[in-house]
Amino acid sequence: SAAQRDRVEALIQQGIEDGATLLCGGGRPKHLSKGYYVEPTAFIAEPDSVVAQQEFFGPVQCLIGYEDEDDATRIANHSSLGLSGGILGLHNARTKLLAWRLRTRALLNHRGTGTEPAVPPHASNDTAWAPKTAMAVSLLSSYTSERPP
């Protein structure tokens, strides 16, 4: 809807004003003349930034750097969001151990060539119902195709 597109655009603008680094997107796709689309958008941001702590319900991804697995766990568990998430790694045993440290309701363990669902034993965040999964910036373009009539 126009209202949702406007909400997403306002959050993107707020992220830019708050100092998050816009990597790509942030506007309306020029090749889509009809509909209420927003370009796939990616930010680099701090864990407490608006773009890291808001559910956009749009094609917006926030990338947050970390020092080590303990720091990554601290950042992930600091969020009030957490209905679902993802871990990307090549070492399956290591990513499974990390998955058990995360407070989320559902988790995808991305390893090399496949995806394995995992369900951590605990959840304590205040997220809305819509799930989120980790994805690479290059995959964000899948959000811009038009719906069939």
Side-chain angles (χ1 to χ4, degrees):
S1 70
Q4 179 59 22
R5 181 203 55 214
D6 294 347
R7 178 186 178 280
V8 170
E9 289 175 334
L11 286 169
I12 290 170
Q13 186 59 40
Q14 187 175 0
I16 293 167
E17 291 169 5
D18 287 348
T21 302
L22 181 66
L23 294 176
C24 66
R28 297 180 185 177
K30 293 175 183 31
H31 69 286
L32 298 175
S33 59
K34 295 188 300 185
Y36 303 107
Y37 297 100
V38 176
E39 290 176 322
T41 303
F43 284 100
I44 295 175
E46 295 298 317
D48 290 326
S49 68
V50 170
V51 293
Q53 293 295 325
Q54 287 291 319
E55 290 183 301
F56 279 75
F57 298 106
V60 179
Q61 193 70 41
C62 181
L63 307 172
I64 302 171
Y66 60 93
E67 296 295 323
D68 55 27
E69 291 174 4
D70 289 336
D71 191 36
T73 301
R74 180 191 59 76
I75 291 167
N77 290 339
H78 173 69
S79 175
S80 63
L81 309 176
L83 183 55
S84 68
I87 297 176
L88 294 115
L90 296 177
H91 307 291
N92 193 39
R94 194 169 171 184
T95 59
K96 279 186 176 183
L97 288 173
L98 182 58
W100 288 100
R101 296 172 59 190
L102 300 180
R103 291 192 314 257
T104 186
R105 289 171 176 79
L107 188 80
L108 291 177
N109 181 13
H110 302 271
R111 56 181 161 71
T113 60
T115 300
E116 174 183 316
V119 180
H122 51 277
S124 63
N125 299 326
D126 299 326
T127 188
W129 63 269
K132 292 182 175 202
T133 57
M135 64 177 60
V137 173
S138 63
L139 296 178
L140 288 172
S141 63
S142 64
Y143 284 99
T144 61
S145 58
E146 293 187 56
R147 282 189 190 160

